[in-house]
Amino acid sequence: PNFKDILDHNIVYKYHYVFIVGSIRQIRSWVYQQAPRAGLPQWKFTHDRQHWVYVHAHDTGWPIKGCLNVSPAGPDSRLISPSCFWQAAQAPVLYMHAAFKTTEKSGMVGWRSFHQAHRPTFHCHPAWLSRSSADGRYHHYVIRLAGQKTYRGPMAQLCIDLLSTGQRRTWVKIRCIRFIP
């Protein structure tokens, strides 16, 4: 109930739930013991979409085979992460292992804080979509978010634009996205 998902015609969607019976104190105690330890968000797209969804874009469908393979389906195409939580000060750098095929020369990464949405353009890392790194081969992209005026406090969601200006044969393959402390 907490995620949006893409449901393909041939997907098998599995989930589980737990009913907890007891006093409020017992229920809270059990939940806190089971809860995963908080860390910085990270997504590895080896077998599934990790609850990422697309706006004006589509992928190659189910099953996911080692990466998200996404193509824009119109202008303003983007990938949107599931809702999550991190403190900007603890996650100053975003890392992606991805292959971009585009003639665009700039990349756009956005985030949603708990207060409002922000979508600044980044040109701050020399490897971020230089002509040689948008060649359709995998590269390591390291994008420094710290220092951006709106990147501070608690964060809730990440978004990556697909760099589409209506061009054909533009696509991205993403193996993983994570924050670096």
Side-chain angles (χ1 to χ4, degrees):
N2 297 328
F3 296 108
K4 291 181 179 180
D5 270 306
I6 298 169
L7 299 177
D8 300 88
H9 71 91
N10 60 340
I11 197 168
V12 175
Y13 192 84
K14 296 180 181 180
Y15 65 95
H16 75 276
Y17 55 91
V18 176
F19 289 107
I20 308 166
V21 179
S23 68
I24 295 292
R25 180 182 286 154
Q26 292 169 323
I27 292 170
R28 284 185 179 151
S29 175
W30 187 89
V31 168
Y32 293 143
Q33 289 173 9
Q34 307 306 311
R37 301 296 172 233
L40 294 175
Q42 63 178 345
W43 302 274
K44 295 180 183 176
F45 305 108
T46 53
H47 302 294
D48 64 7
R49 294 179 181 102
Q50 299 284 296
H51 306 291
W52 281 67
V53 294
Y54 317 132
V55 174
H56 304 296
H58 58 86
D59 65 18
T60 52
W62 189 259
I64 302 302
K65 297 177 182 174
C67 69
L68 293 182
N69 187 349
V70 183
S71 297
D76 204 23
S77 301
R78 64 183 79 148
L79 285 72
I80 300 174
S81 78
S83 294
C84 51
F85 178 83
W86 75 95
Q87 288 288 345
Q90 296 171 350
V93 176
L94 181 68
Y95 166 87
M96 283 191 291
H97 188 219
F100 286 89
K101 183 66 173 173
T102 181
T103 58
E104 295 293 316
K105 295 180 183 172
S106 65
M108 191 178 293
V109 173
W111 53 83
R112 187 172 60 83
S113 70
F114 279 91
H115 307 294
Q116 57 188 344
H118 303 287
R119 293 190 47 209
T121 300
F122 293 97
H123 302 280
C124 55
H125 191 276
W128 178 239
L129 286 187
S130 66
R131 182 166 285 228
S132 63
S133 69
D135 58 5
R137 293 188 296 211
Y138 281 97
H139 297 278
H140 299 279
Y141 295 92
V142 180
I143 304 163
R144 184 159 176 76
L145 302 176
Q148 300 297 318
K149 291 179 183 178
T150 58
Y151 189 71
R152 62 180 62 160
M155 297 287 127
Q157 202 165 30
L158 189 65
C159 138
I160 299 169
D161 275 15
L162 289 181
L163 310 167
S164 172
T165 55
Q167 303 172 11
R168 290 181 170 208
R169 296 187 219 125
T170 296
W171 49 262
V172 61
K173 294 179 182 179
I174 302 176
R175 289 183 177 156
C176 76
I177 299 171
R178 66 185 172 98
F179 288 98
I180 300 173

